[in-house]
Amino acid sequence: MFDFIPVEIYTSLHYTILLLIALVILTHAMSKNLYDVDSIQFFNGLGIVVVIWYTLYMGQRQISGRYFGDTANYNKAYLLLQSGKEMIVEKDYFFNYLMMLCSKLMPVRSFFQLIDILYIIPCILFSKKYFGRFWFFCFFMFIA
């Protein structure tokens, strides 16, 4: 999905976007009352946009061993599983059995997207549980 972004600048672009979001948060927080209904709605809306963007940006990133080492290693293992190779699971049981199951059901990019979603959902749930209507600030701290 984000193959048009050169892999060399992928991480730098991510940090630049996080900086821009932080500046939007700072500017809004300095000019408005954070407890105002409009501010809460603004940050909830911004939070939804950031969650969707972050989920897609990280889940659909390119597979590159030079820049994303783990992604390339998981890609190799996933492709081996898809070709019919067996895997001996000695650790990370949930992840490895999930990878074995998914290799029979979906392409590798969908698997990476699923893993990204499984990583982000607990962050959102934690943020909403402990920060309530200010959940976006906690979630932003997680991703930044």
Side-chain angles (χ1 to χ4, degrees):
M1 175 177 222
F2 291 97
D3 293 343
F4 64 93
I5 300 171
V7 69
E8 298 83 19
I9 68 163
Y10 210 82
T11 302
S12 297
L13 180 62
H14 172 67
Y15 290 140
T16 302
I17 292 170
L18 288 176
L19 173 64
L20 293 174
I21 294 168
L23 292 174
V24 167
I25 293 169
L26 179 65
T27 303
H28 190 87
M30 291 180 70
S31 63
K32 307 278 185 184
N33 180 355
L34 289 179
Y35 295 98
D36 187 42
V37 174
D38 291 335
S39 288
I40 293 170
Q41 288 177 344
F42 172 78
F43 285 117
N44 279 329
L46 181 61
I48 291 167
V49 170
V50 169
V51 165
I52 292 169
W53 167 79
Y54 188 74
T55 302
L56 291 174
Y57 193 76
M58 298 309 282
Q60 293 296 313
R61 71 182 181 197
Q62 298 174 43
I63 298 168
S64 168
R66 184 172 179 198
Y67 293 95
F68 312 118
D70 286 351
T71 304
N73 293 333
Y74 295 139
N75 181 54
K76 287 178 190 174
Y78 197 86
L79 294 176
L80 287 172
L81 287 169
Q82 284 185 319
S83 71
K85 301 285 184 192
E86 293 293 321
M87 174 189 275
I88 299 171
V89 179
E90 297 176 349
K91 59 181 180 175
D92 296 328
Y93 297 103
F94 177 77
F95 178 79
N96 287 314
Y97 283 119
L98 179 64
M99 185 165 49
M100 290 168 60
L101 173 67
C102 290
S103 69
K104 296 170 183 23
L105 304 173
M106 63 183 69
V108 70
R109 293 295 275 280
S110 298
F111 171 69
F112 287 136
Q113 185 66 65
L114 175 65
I115 294 301
D116 186 52
I117 289 168
L118 291 175
Y119 172 79
I120 289 174
I121 286 175
C123 295
I124 294 168
L125 294 175
F126 177 91
S127 299
K128 287 191 173 197
K129 180 176 181 177
Y130 292 104
F131 284 74
R133 45 189 196 159
F134 299 105
W135 69 273
F136 173 65
F137 299 107
C138 179
F139 179 76
F140 185 74
M141 286 187 284
F142 274 127
I143 67 172

